[in-house]
Amino acid sequence: MRLNKLCGKIIHNYSIFALFGLLCFIPLIPFGIVYHLEGAFAKVMSVSSYLTWHNMFEFVSILVSISVFLVAYYSYEQTGSLRTIYLGSVFLTIAFVDMFHTLSFKGMPDFFVANTTSNRATTLWIISRAIASIGFVLAGYTSKMKKEWKVDKNIFLFIPVGLSTVILITVTRFHDFLPLMYEEGVGLTDFKKNSELVIIFLFFISIVKFIHRYYKDRETVELGCAFSMVLSIYSEIAFTQYASVYDIYNYLGHIYKFLAFFIIFKVMFINNIRKPYIELYDAKQEIKHYADNLDLLVQTRTEELRKLNNQLMDDLRYAKDIQKAVYPSRLPQEREVVFDTRYFAAEIVSGDFYNIFRRDEDNIAFFIGDVSGHGVPAAMLTVFVNQTVRTILDIELGIIKPSKVLNSIYKSFNETNFKEEVYIVMIYALYNKRKKVLTYSSAGHNVEPILIRDSGNIEEIDIKGFPICKFGEYYNNQYEDGEIPLGCNDKILFYTDGLIEARNADGDFYSRERLLDLIKRNCKKSGKELNELISNSLFEFTAGFALKDDVTFFVMQVNE
């Protein structure tokens, strides 16, 4: 496949360069023709007629040069191309010098001085062509300049004006210090002919640069510029052959120059004016195509979004199943102590967690907590907590103090790659049925469990502790145990902060005070009845307003 592409590319390049080479040889044909028409041309073309044609060719070239500059000058803010505005500046300088050349041509009205010789016009011509050839050679280096290099565009206006003025004054007033270009009655000087050869060499270098740029960038405008340089070379060759400024070779040289300038103008016009409009038209056609197919596109995108949404919901349901698998499917059935739980997720999956399980004949272990965040990441963190607790209890033999369990979780958490902003708050507790003693330890749990004595006294259990977070590198935390003796019919409500921070449509919180008031009024109720009352009170308060956080709570009740 690669070989086929490479062969196709080589064939394409060969075809392009073969066509370019053929075009380069076609301009040679007129040289053979004018050789035989030189005598006839002198009879037909009078001086006045020649001046008319000369002025027409030159002024058209001047207009083209000025147009090239204007295109580059006024599109500079949009293109940011230093190469383009630099070439525009070169063409503006050429326009001024060519204008001086035309006005100084032998036979034209006086232009500062009498136009009785051909030397001044010829000198200005050589200077103009030298500027063009050097300018095009240097253009290859301006292409390496970055667009971020902002240059005031007025510089490219003032320099040509100043330079052309200096050239006019020098050639007009100080011509004695300049080499002679044309000697009346003799013709072109050797210096002029040698200068033309140097200019031809510089144009040839420009051709090589433009072809190299085409080979690298595949921009057809580069080949256009290269062919313009080819015509410029033919023009300079013609200007080395004439004996009189009115002969056929001089006339042919101006034709080649006119064609070269016309191609440059076309290239600049396409690149800076017509090309953006072509791109705009193509963009409009593409937009029209999309508009015509908008319904189909919307339908296609909707179907894609539906599939993605279904896949996401499937993933969420799968995550929910994983999370449910680590929750207790059945609570321990004990005569001495009973539990009743409630769990309401704000989303499909939850960041709350709890578990209640028997450790041995005398001890029931349980924990409740919350993790940072919501959704799938939080749910996976709850799985980590449950699995870590299970692993710790499987490794350690016998009854493990709650503080030791939390210390182990803290250590395991700090050995993971969880992000630093992730944390866990929880309570881990152990209830001894025989002694009727609750031993607990808190890892930053942010709501205090509520102890409901059989006597009707209500108190909040004081809990302290450091959250489980990625702080092990800075703080070697050690959790502590607390103990509470319990009596018959005593109850404890464990819950997460989602319960008291639930809001209604007005933005009010359910609040700790509301919860305590409900418990005080119903302290004699059983744990199951109390949970039912709390659930009903919560949803009556929110009145259908969606929960913003997960709500988890359970009541532990001590029996005879």
PDB file of all heavy atoms in Angstrom, residues 245-277:
ATOM      1  N   VAL A 245      17.125  51.405 -28.127  1.00  0.00           N
ATOM      2  CA  VAL A 245      16.061  51.283 -27.135  1.00  0.00           C
ATOM      3  C   VAL A 245      14.698  51.178 -27.802  1.00  0.00           C
ATOM      4  O   VAL A 245      13.696  50.963 -27.128  1.00  0.00           O
ATOM      5  CB  VAL A 245      16.080  52.475 -26.162  1.00  0.00           C
ATOM      6  CG1 VAL A 245      17.330  52.452 -25.304  1.00  0.00           C
ATOM      7  CG2 VAL A 245      15.950  53.791 -26.901  1.00  0.00           C
ATOM      8  N   TYR A 246      14.661  51.340 -29.136  1.00  0.00           N
ATOM      9  CA  TYR A 246      13.375  51.228 -29.827  1.00  0.00           C
ATOM     10  C   TYR A 246      13.271  49.956 -30.676  1.00  0.00           C
ATOM     11  O   TYR A 246      12.330  49.814 -31.448  1.00  0.00           O
ATOM     12  CB  TYR A 246      13.174  52.451 -30.753  1.00  0.00           C
ATOM     13  CG  TYR A 246      13.289  53.772 -30.045  1.00  0.00           C
ATOM     14  CD1 TYR A 246      14.254  54.700 -30.429  1.00  0.00           C
ATOM     15  CD2 TYR A 246      12.421  54.098 -29.020  1.00  0.00           C
ATOM     16  CE1 TYR A 246      14.361  55.923 -29.795  1.00  0.00           C
ATOM     17  CE2 TYR A 246      12.520  55.321 -28.374  1.00  0.00           C
ATOM     18  CZ  TYR A 246      13.492  56.238 -28.754  1.00  0.00           C
ATOM     19  OH  TYR A 246      13.592  57.440 -28.125  1.00  0.00           O
ATOM     20  N   ASP A 247      14.246  49.041 -30.565  1.00  0.00           N
ATOM     21  CA  ASP A 247      14.217  47.901 -31.472  1.00  0.00           C
ATOM     22  C   ASP A 247      13.331  46.768 -30.940  1.00  0.00           C
ATOM     23  O   ASP A 247      12.757  46.842 -29.841  1.00  0.00           O
ATOM     24  CB  ASP A 247      15.629  47.428 -31.807  1.00  0.00           C
ATOM     25  CG  ASP A 247      16.295  46.673 -30.669  1.00  0.00           C
ATOM     26  OD1 ASP A 247      15.629  46.411 -29.644  1.00  0.00           O
ATOM     27  OD2 ASP A 247      17.486  46.346 -30.788  1.00  0.00           O
ATOM     28  N   ILE A 248      13.235  45.687 -31.723  1.00  0.00           N
ATOM     29  CA  ILE A 248      12.286  44.619 -31.443  1.00  0.00           C
ATOM     30  C   ILE A 248      12.648  43.818 -30.195  1.00  0.00           C
ATOM     31  O   ILE A 248      11.769  43.315 -29.479  1.00  0.00           O
ATOM     32  CB  ILE A 248      12.152  43.691 -32.665  1.00  0.00           C
ATOM     33  CG1 ILE A 248      10.924  42.784 -32.503  1.00  0.00           C
ATOM     34  CG2 ILE A 248      13.432  42.882 -32.889  1.00  0.00           C
ATOM     35  CD1 ILE A 248      10.562  42.024 -33.757  1.00  0.00           C
ATOM     36  N   TYR A 249      13.957  43.698 -29.871  1.00  0.00           N
ATOM     37  CA  TYR A 249      14.345  42.948 -28.682  1.00  0.00           C
ATOM     38  C   TYR A 249      13.940  43.689 -27.412  1.00  0.00           C
ATOM     39  O   TYR A 249      13.531  43.070 -26.419  1.00  0.00           O
ATOM     40  CB  TYR A 249      15.857  42.668 -28.688  1.00  0.00           C
ATOM     41  CG  TYR A 249      16.246  41.579 -29.652  1.00  0.00           C
ATOM     42  CD1 TYR A 249      16.841  41.887 -30.869  1.00  0.00           C
ATOM     43  CD2 TYR A 249      16.015  40.245 -29.347  1.00  0.00           C
ATOM     44  CE1 TYR A 249      17.195  40.889 -31.772  1.00  0.00           C
ATOM     45  CE2 TYR A 249      16.367  39.237 -30.239  1.00  0.00           C
ATOM     46  CZ  TYR A 249      16.946  39.559 -31.445  1.00  0.00           C
ATOM     47  OH  TYR A 249      17.296  38.561 -32.326  1.00  0.00           O
ATOM     48  N   ASN A 250      14.058  45.017 -27.459  1.00  0.00           N
ATOM     49  CA  ASN A 250      13.600  45.812 -26.320  1.00  0.00           C
ATOM     50  C   ASN A 250      12.089  45.647 -26.141  1.00  0.00           C
ATOM     51  O   ASN A 250      11.577  45.511 -25.028  1.00  0.00           O
ATOM     52  CB  ASN A 250      13.966  47.282 -26.554  1.00  0.00           C
ATOM     53  CG  ASN A 250      13.835  48.110 -25.284  1.00  0.00           C
ATOM     54  OD1 ASN A 250      12.741  48.288 -24.766  1.00  0.00           O
ATOM     55  ND2 ASN A 250      14.963  48.641 -24.813  1.00  0.00           N
ATOM     56  N   TYR A 251      11.399  45.641 -27.285  1.00  0.00           N
ATOM     57  CA  TYR A 251       9.945  45.469 -27.267  1.00  0.00           C
ATOM     58  C   TYR A 251       9.575  44.089 -26.700  1.00  0.00           C
ATOM     59  O   TYR A 251       8.676  43.963 -25.861  1.00  0.00           O
ATOM     60  CB  TYR A 251       9.424  45.611 -28.695  1.00  0.00           C
ATOM     61  CG  TYR A 251       7.932  45.641 -28.826  1.00  0.00           C
ATOM     62  CD1 TYR A 251       7.206  46.825 -28.667  1.00  0.00           C
ATOM     63  CD2 TYR A 251       7.225  44.469 -29.135  1.00  0.00           C
ATOM     64  CE1 TYR A 251       5.835  46.838 -28.801  1.00  0.00           C
ATOM     65  CE2 TYR A 251       5.847  44.477 -29.265  1.00  0.00           C
ATOM     66  CZ  TYR A 251       5.150  45.666 -29.101  1.00  0.00           C
ATOM     67  OH  TYR A 251       3.784  45.688 -29.232  1.00  0.00           O
ATOM     68  N   LEU A 252      10.297  43.034 -27.143  1.00  0.00           N
ATOM     69  CA  LEU A 252      10.039  41.676 -26.670  1.00  0.00           C
ATOM     70  C   LEU A 252      10.323  41.553 -25.174  1.00  0.00           C
ATOM     71  O   LEU A 252       9.576  40.895 -24.433  1.00  0.00           O
ATOM     72  CB  LEU A 252      10.894  40.680 -27.445  1.00  0.00           C
ATOM     73  CG  LEU A 252      10.742  39.198 -27.063  1.00  0.00           C
ATOM     74  CD1 LEU A 252       9.320  38.723 -27.336  1.00  0.00           C
ATOM     75  CD2 LEU A 252      11.765  38.344 -27.818  1.00  0.00           C
ATOM     76  N   GLY A 253      11.382  42.203 -24.718  1.00  0.00           N
ATOM     77  CA  GLY A 253      11.713  42.170 -23.292  1.00  0.00           C
ATOM     78  C   GLY A 253      10.601  42.748 -22.439  1.00  0.00           C
ATOM     79  O   GLY A 253      10.276  42.225 -21.357  1.00  0.00           O
ATOM     80  N   HIS A 254       9.953  43.846 -22.938  1.00  0.00           N
ATOM     81  CA  HIS A 254       8.850  44.444 -22.184  1.00  0.00           C
ATOM     82  C   HIS A 254       7.619  43.537 -22.170  1.00  0.00           C
ATOM     83  O   HIS A 254       6.869  43.510 -21.184  1.00  0.00           O
ATOM     84  CB  HIS A 254       8.497  45.816 -22.762  1.00  0.00           C
ATOM     85  CG  HIS A 254       9.439  46.901 -22.332  1.00  0.00           C
ATOM     86  ND1 HIS A 254      10.599  47.202 -23.015  1.00  0.00           N
ATOM     87  CD2 HIS A 254       9.402  47.738 -21.265  1.00  0.00           C
ATOM     88  CE1 HIS A 254      11.221  48.193 -22.421  1.00  0.00           C
ATOM     89  NE2 HIS A 254      10.518  48.544 -21.333  1.00  0.00           N
ATOM     90  N   ILE A 255       7.416  42.792 -23.255  1.00  0.00           N
ATOM     91  CA  ILE A 255       6.295  41.844 -23.281  1.00  0.00           C
ATOM     92  C   ILE A 255       6.500  40.746 -22.228  1.00  0.00           C
ATOM     93  O   ILE A 255       5.586  40.405 -21.468  1.00  0.00           O
ATOM     94  CB  ILE A 255       6.146  41.226 -24.684  1.00  0.00           C
ATOM     95  CG1 ILE A 255       5.691  42.292 -25.676  1.00  0.00           C
ATOM     96  CG2 ILE A 255       5.146  40.067 -24.645  1.00  0.00           C
ATOM     97  CD1 ILE A 255       5.601  41.791 -27.114  1.00  0.00           C
ATOM     98  N   TYR A 256       7.730  40.207 -22.189  1.00  0.00           N
ATOM     99  CA  TYR A 256       8.017  39.180 -21.191  1.00  0.00           C
ATOM    100  C   TYR A 256       7.856  39.719 -19.767  1.00  0.00           C
ATOM    101  O   TYR A 256       7.331  39.043 -18.877  1.00  0.00           O
ATOM    102  CB  TYR A 256       9.438  38.635 -21.377  1.00  0.00           C
ATOM    103  CG  TYR A 256       9.567  37.636 -22.491  1.00  0.00           C
ATOM    104  CD1 TYR A 256      10.611  37.713 -23.414  1.00  0.00           C
ATOM    105  CD2 TYR A 256       8.660  36.595 -22.627  1.00  0.00           C
ATOM    106  CE1 TYR A 256      10.739  36.793 -24.438  1.00  0.00           C
ATOM    107  CE2 TYR A 256       8.787  35.664 -23.654  1.00  0.00           C
ATOM    108  CZ  TYR A 256       9.820  35.775 -24.561  1.00  0.00           C
ATOM    109  OH  TYR A 256       9.935  34.850 -25.568  1.00  0.00           O
ATOM    110  N   LYS A 257       8.301  40.947 -19.565  1.00  0.00           N
ATOM    111  CA  LYS A 257       8.179  41.549 -18.239  1.00  0.00           C
ATOM    112  C   LYS A 257       6.706  41.704 -17.862  1.00  0.00           C
ATOM    113  O   LYS A 257       6.289  41.421 -16.731  1.00  0.00           O
ATOM    114  CB  LYS A 257       8.872  42.907 -18.208  1.00  0.00           C
ATOM    115  CG  LYS A 257       8.756  43.606 -16.849  1.00  0.00           C
ATOM    116  CD  LYS A 257       9.060  45.076 -16.940  1.00  0.00           C
ATOM    117  CE  LYS A 257       8.744  45.761 -15.626  1.00  0.00           C
ATOM    118  NZ  LYS A 257       8.848  47.224 -15.702  1.00  0.00           N
ATOM    119  N   PHE A 258       5.905  42.163 -18.849  1.00  0.00           N
ATOM    120  CA  PHE A 258       4.476  42.337 -18.612  1.00  0.00           C
ATOM    121  C   PHE A 258       3.838  40.998 -18.218  1.00  0.00           C
ATOM    122  O   PHE A 258       3.056  40.918 -17.263  1.00  0.00           O
ATOM    123  CB  PHE A 258       3.811  42.901 -19.861  1.00  0.00           C
ATOM    124  CG  PHE A 258       2.307  42.840 -19.834  1.00  0.00           C
ATOM    125  CD1 PHE A 258       1.578  43.771 -19.113  1.00  0.00           C
ATOM    126  CD2 PHE A 258       1.634  41.833 -20.511  1.00  0.00           C
ATOM    127  CE1 PHE A 258       0.196  43.695 -19.074  1.00  0.00           C
ATOM    128  CE2 PHE A 258       0.256  41.760 -20.481  1.00  0.00           C
ATOM    129  CZ  PHE A 258      -0.470  42.698 -19.760  1.00  0.00           C
ATOM    130  N   LEU A 259       4.181  39.926 -18.944  1.00  0.00           N
ATOM    131  CA  LEU A 259       3.619  38.610 -18.641  1.00  0.00           C
ATOM    132  C   LEU A 259       4.071  38.110 -17.265  1.00  0.00           C
ATOM    133  O   LEU A 259       3.289  37.516 -16.520  1.00  0.00           O
ATOM    134  CB  LEU A 259       4.030  37.612 -19.724  1.00  0.00           C
ATOM    135  CG  LEU A 259       3.433  37.856 -21.120  1.00  0.00           C
ATOM    136  CD1 LEU A 259       4.031  36.872 -22.121  1.00  0.00           C
ATOM    137  CD2 LEU A 259       1.915  37.735 -21.086  1.00  0.00           C
ATOM    138  N   ALA A 260       5.327  38.347 -16.933  1.00  0.00           N
ATOM    139  CA  ALA A 260       5.852  37.931 -15.626  1.00  0.00           C
ATOM    140  C   ALA A 260       5.101  38.628 -14.498  1.00  0.00           C
ATOM    141  O   ALA A 260       4.720  38.003 -13.504  1.00  0.00           O
ATOM    142  CB  ALA A 260       7.353  38.227 -15.541  1.00  0.00           C
ATOM    143  N   PHE A 261       4.873  39.941 -14.659  1.00  0.00           N
ATOM    144  CA  PHE A 261       4.165  40.688 -13.634  1.00  0.00           C
ATOM    145  C   PHE A 261       2.703  40.251 -13.542  1.00  0.00           C
ATOM    146  O   PHE A 261       2.125  40.198 -12.459  1.00  0.00           O
ATOM    147  CB  PHE A 261       4.262  42.187 -13.913  1.00  0.00           C
ATOM    148  CG  PHE A 261       5.504  42.822 -13.360  1.00  0.00           C
ATOM    149  CD1 PHE A 261       6.749  42.270 -13.606  1.00  0.00           C
ATOM    150  CD2 PHE A 261       5.437  43.968 -12.595  1.00  0.00           C
ATOM    151  CE1 PHE A 261       7.904  42.846 -13.109  1.00  0.00           C
ATOM    152  CE2 PHE A 261       6.574  44.554 -12.081  1.00  0.00           C
ATOM    153  CZ  PHE A 261       7.811  43.990 -12.338  1.00  0.00           C
ATOM    154  N   PHE A 262       2.111  39.947 -14.698  1.00  0.00           N
ATOM    155  CA  PHE A 262       0.721  39.515 -14.690  1.00  0.00           C
ATOM    156  C   PHE A 262       0.566  38.204 -13.913  1.00  0.00           C
ATOM    157  O   PHE A 262      -0.381  38.033 -13.142  1.00  0.00           O
ATOM    158  CB  PHE A 262       0.224  39.328 -16.130  1.00  0.00           C
ATOM    159  CG  PHE A 262      -1.180  38.807 -16.212  1.00  0.00           C
ATOM    160  CD1 PHE A 262      -2.263  39.645 -15.971  1.00  0.00           C
ATOM    161  CD2 PHE A 262      -1.410  37.470 -16.504  1.00  0.00           C
ATOM    162  CE1 PHE A 262      -3.561  39.150 -16.023  1.00  0.00           C
ATOM    163  CE2 PHE A 262      -2.704  36.974 -16.568  1.00  0.00           C
ATOM    164  CZ  PHE A 262      -3.782  37.818 -16.325  1.00  0.00           C
ATOM    165  N   ILE A 263       1.507  37.269 -14.095  1.00  0.00           N
ATOM    166  CA  ILE A 263       1.446  35.994 -13.384  1.00  0.00           C
ATOM    167  C   ILE A 263       1.625  36.217 -11.885  1.00  0.00           C
ATOM    168  O   ILE A 263       0.924  35.617 -11.057  1.00  0.00           O
ATOM    169  CB  ILE A 263       2.512  35.026 -13.927  1.00  0.00           C
ATOM    170  CG1 ILE A 263       2.122  34.589 -15.344  1.00  0.00           C
ATOM    171  CG2 ILE A 263       2.671  33.812 -13.018  1.00  0.00           C
ATOM    172  CD1 ILE A 263       3.159  33.741 -16.027  1.00  0.00           C
ATOM    173  N   ILE A 264       2.551  37.095 -11.510  1.00  0.00           N
ATOM    174  CA  ILE A 264       2.748  37.402 -10.092  1.00  0.00           C
ATOM    175  C   ILE A 264       1.469  37.976  -9.488  1.00  0.00           C
ATOM    176  O   ILE A 264       1.041  37.605  -8.387  1.00  0.00           O
ATOM    177  CB  ILE A 264       3.913  38.396  -9.907  1.00  0.00           C
ATOM    178  CG1 ILE A 264       5.247  37.677 -10.092  1.00  0.00           C
ATOM    179  CG2 ILE A 264       3.870  39.048  -8.532  1.00  0.00           C
ATOM    180  CD1 ILE A 264       5.589  36.704  -8.987  1.00  0.00           C
ATOM    181  N   PHE A 265       0.837  38.881 -10.236  1.00  0.00           N
ATOM    182  CA  PHE A 265      -0.405  39.481  -9.748  1.00  0.00           C
ATOM    183  C   PHE A 265      -1.474  38.395  -9.565  1.00  0.00           C
ATOM    184  O   PHE A 265      -2.191  38.376  -8.565  1.00  0.00           O
ATOM    185  CB  PHE A 265      -0.901  40.543 -10.724  1.00  0.00           C
ATOM    186  CG  PHE A 265      -2.274  41.061 -10.384  1.00  0.00           C
ATOM    187  CD1 PHE A 265      -2.446  41.935  -9.320  1.00  0.00           C
ATOM    188  CD2 PHE A 265      -3.383  40.658 -11.105  1.00  0.00           C
ATOM    189  CE1 PHE A 265      -3.708  42.416  -8.991  1.00  0.00           C
ATOM    190  CE2 PHE A 265      -4.645  41.124 -10.791  1.00  0.00           C
ATOM    191  CZ  PHE A 265      -4.810  42.016  -9.730  1.00  0.00           C
ATOM    192  N   LYS A 266      -1.578  37.503 -10.536  1.00  0.00           N
ATOM    193  CA  LYS A 266      -2.580  36.442 -10.458  1.00  0.00           C
ATOM    194  C   LYS A 266      -2.309  35.536  -9.258  1.00  0.00           C
ATOM    195  O   LYS A 266      -3.233  35.143  -8.539  1.00  0.00           O
ATOM    196  CB  LYS A 266      -2.586  35.630 -11.745  1.00  0.00           C
ATOM    197  CG  LYS A 266      -3.755  34.665 -11.873  1.00  0.00           C
ATOM    198  CD  LYS A 266      -3.810  34.063 -13.250  1.00  0.00           C
ATOM    199  CE  LYS A 266      -4.989  33.091 -13.370  1.00  0.00           C
ATOM    200  NZ  LYS A 266      -6.286  33.754 -13.163  1.00  0.00           N
ATOM    201  N   VAL A 267      -1.039  35.211  -9.040  1.00  0.00           N
ATOM    202  CA  VAL A 267      -0.667  34.365  -7.907  1.00  0.00           C
ATOM    203  C   VAL A 267      -1.010  35.054  -6.591  1.00  0.00           C
ATOM    204  O   VAL A 267      -1.618  34.460  -5.692  1.00  0.00           O
ATOM    205  CB  VAL A 267       0.834  34.023  -7.962  1.00  0.00           C
ATOM    206  CG1 VAL A 267       1.299  33.445  -6.625  1.00  0.00           C
ATOM    207  CG2 VAL A 267       1.116  33.035  -9.081  1.00  0.00           C
ATOM    208  N   MET A 268      -0.642  36.342  -6.469  1.00  0.00           N
ATOM    209  CA  MET A 268      -0.922  37.086  -5.241  1.00  0.00           C
ATOM    210  C   MET A 268      -2.426  37.252  -5.052  1.00  0.00           C
ATOM    211  O   MET A 268      -2.947  37.179  -3.938  1.00  0.00           O
ATOM    212  CB  MET A 268      -0.236  38.456  -5.285  1.00  0.00           C
ATOM    213  CG  MET A 268       1.281  38.380  -5.342  1.00  0.00           C
ATOM    214  SD  MET A 268       2.014  37.832  -3.780  1.00  0.00           S
ATOM    215  CE  MET A 268       1.804  39.309  -2.813  1.00  0.00           C
ATOM    216  N   PHE A 269      -3.131  37.481  -6.155  1.00  0.00           N
ATOM    217  CA  PHE A 269      -4.575  37.668  -6.070  1.00  0.00           C
ATOM    218  C   PHE A 269      -5.247  36.382  -5.596  1.00  0.00           C
ATOM    219  O   PHE A 269      -6.098  36.391  -4.702  1.00  0.00           O
ATOM    220  CB  PHE A 269      -5.121  38.079  -7.439  1.00  0.00           C
ATOM    221  CG  PHE A 269      -6.619  38.249  -7.462  1.00  0.00           C
ATOM    222  CD1 PHE A 269      -7.204  39.405  -6.986  1.00  0.00           C
ATOM    223  CD2 PHE A 269      -7.433  37.237  -7.949  1.00  0.00           C
ATOM    224  CE1 PHE A 269      -8.570  39.559  -6.994  1.00  0.00           C
ATOM    225  CE2 PHE A 269      -8.806  37.380  -7.969  1.00  0.00           C
ATOM    226  CZ  PHE A 269      -9.374  38.552  -7.491  1.00  0.00           C
ATOM    227  N   ILE A 270      -4.826  35.252  -6.173  1.00  0.00           N
ATOM    228  CA  ILE A 270      -5.412  33.971  -5.786  1.00  0.00           C
ATOM    229  C   ILE A 270      -5.100  33.666  -4.326  1.00  0.00           C
ATOM    230  O   ILE A 270      -5.962  33.224  -3.565  1.00  0.00           O
ATOM    231  CB  ILE A 270      -4.877  32.849  -6.700  1.00  0.00           C
ATOM    232  CG1 ILE A 270      -5.440  33.009  -8.117  1.00  0.00           C
ATOM    233  CG2 ILE A 270      -5.214  31.473  -6.139  1.00  0.00           C
ATOM    234  CD1 ILE A 270      -4.856  32.044  -9.119  1.00  0.00           C
ATOM    235  N   ASN A 271      -3.856  33.916  -3.917  1.00  0.00           N
ATOM    236  CA  ASN A 271      -3.414  33.536  -2.581  1.00  0.00           C
ATOM    237  C   ASN A 271      -4.012  34.403  -1.489  1.00  0.00           C
ATOM    238  O   ASN A 271      -4.268  33.939  -0.386  1.00  0.00           O
ATOM    239  CB  ASN A 271      -1.879  33.590  -2.513  1.00  0.00           C
ATOM    240  CG  ASN A 271      -1.344  32.802  -1.336  1.00  0.00           C
ATOM    241  OD1 ASN A 271      -1.789  31.694  -1.079  1.00  0.00           O
ATOM    242  ND2 ASN A 271      -0.407  33.370  -0.612  1.00  0.00           N
ATOM    243  N   ASN A 272      -4.241  35.687  -1.769  1.00  0.00           N
ATOM    244  CA  ASN A 272      -4.650  36.607  -0.718  1.00  0.00           C
ATOM    245  C   ASN A 272      -6.087  37.122  -0.853  1.00  0.00           C
ATOM    246  O   ASN A 272      -6.656  37.572   0.137  1.00  0.00           O
ATOM    247  CB  ASN A 272      -3.706  37.818  -0.687  1.00  0.00           C
ATOM    248  CG  ASN A 272      -2.311  37.456  -0.244  1.00  0.00           C
ATOM    249  OD1 ASN A 272      -2.043  37.338   0.938  1.00  0.00           O
ATOM    250  ND2 ASN A 272      -1.419  37.258  -1.211  1.00  0.00           N
ATOM    251  N   ILE A 273      -6.645  37.095  -2.037  1.00  0.00           N
ATOM    252  CA  ILE A 273      -7.998  37.621  -2.221  1.00  0.00           C
ATOM    253  C   ILE A 273      -8.961  36.507  -2.630  1.00  0.00           C
ATOM    254  O   ILE A 273      -9.947  36.236  -1.945  1.00  0.00           O
ATOM    255  CB  ILE A 273      -8.012  38.739  -3.287  1.00  0.00           C
ATOM    256  CG1 ILE A 273      -7.098  39.899  -2.846  1.00  0.00           C
ATOM    257  CG2 ILE A 273      -9.425  39.229  -3.511  1.00  0.00           C
ATOM    258  CD1 ILE A 273      -7.535  40.585  -1.575  1.00  0.00           C
ATOM    259  N   ARG A 274      -8.659  35.858  -3.727  1.00  0.00           N
ATOM    260  CA  ARG A 274      -9.612  34.877  -4.253  1.00  0.00           C
ATOM    261  C   ARG A 274      -9.666  33.612  -3.397  1.00  0.00           C
ATOM    262  O   ARG A 274     -10.741  33.048  -3.191  1.00  0.00           O
ATOM    263  CB  ARG A 274      -9.208  34.517  -5.684  1.00  0.00           C
ATOM    264  CG  ARG A 274     -10.230  33.665  -6.407  1.00  0.00           C
ATOM    265  CD  ARG A 274     -10.012  33.703  -7.904  1.00  0.00           C
ATOM    266  NE  ARG A 274     -10.914  32.769  -8.575  1.00  0.00           N
ATOM    267  CZ  ARG A 274     -10.555  31.582  -9.035  1.00  0.00           C
ATOM    268  NH1 ARG A 274      -9.302  31.192  -8.894  1.00  0.00           N
ATOM    269  NH2 ARG A 274     -11.422  30.794  -9.633  1.00  0.00           N
ATOM    270  N   LYS A 275      -8.512  33.179  -2.887  1.00  0.00           N
ATOM    271  CA  LYS A 275      -8.476  31.949  -2.106  1.00  0.00           C
ATOM    272  C   LYS A 275      -9.372  32.000  -0.872  1.00  0.00           C
ATOM    273  O   LYS A 275     -10.132  31.046  -0.619  1.00  0.00           O
ATOM    274  CB  LYS A 275      -7.037  31.617  -1.701  1.00  0.00           C
ATOM    275  CG  LYS A 275      -6.892  30.305  -0.959  1.00  0.00           C
ATOM    276  CD  LYS A 275      -5.444  30.033  -0.628  1.00  0.00           C
ATOM    277  CE  LYS A 275      -5.298  28.739   0.143  1.00  0.00           C
ATOM    278  NZ  LYS A 275      -3.880  28.469   0.505  1.00  0.00           N
ATOM    279  N   PRO A 276      -9.345  33.098  -0.054  1.00  0.00           N
ATOM    280  CA  PRO A 276     -10.274  33.139   1.089  1.00  0.00           C
ATOM    281  C   PRO A 276     -11.732  33.049   0.666  1.00  0.00           C
ATOM    282  O   PRO A 276     -12.540  32.422   1.355  1.00  0.00           O
ATOM    283  CB  PRO A 276      -9.947  34.491   1.751  1.00  0.00           C
ATOM    284  CG  PRO A 276      -8.549  34.789   1.347  1.00  0.00           C
ATOM    285  CD  PRO A 276      -8.415  34.241  -0.037  1.00  0.00           C
ATOM    286  N   TYR A 277     -12.079  33.685  -0.479  1.00  0.00           N
ATOM    287  CA  TYR A 277     -13.468  33.618  -0.942  1.00  0.00           C
ATOM    288  C   TYR A 277     -13.817  32.204  -1.400  1.00  0.00           C
ATOM    289  O   TYR A 277     -14.949  31.736  -1.203  1.00  0.00           O
ATOM    290  CB  TYR A 277     -13.703  34.620  -2.066  1.00  0.00           C
ATOM    291  CG  TYR A 277     -13.890  36.026  -1.557  1.00  0.00           C
ATOM    292  CD1 TYR A 277     -12.858  36.956  -1.620  1.00  0.00           C
ATOM    293  CD2 TYR A 277     -15.099  36.420  -0.990  1.00  0.00           C
ATOM    294  CE1 TYR A 277     -13.019  38.244  -1.138  1.00  0.00           C
ATOM    295  CE2 TYR A 277     -15.277  37.706  -0.506  1.00  0.00           C
ATOM    296  CZ  TYR A 277     -14.239  38.624  -0.584  1.00  0.00           C
ATOM    297  OH  TYR A 277     -14.399  39.881  -0.097  1.00  0.00           O
TER     298      TYR A 277
END
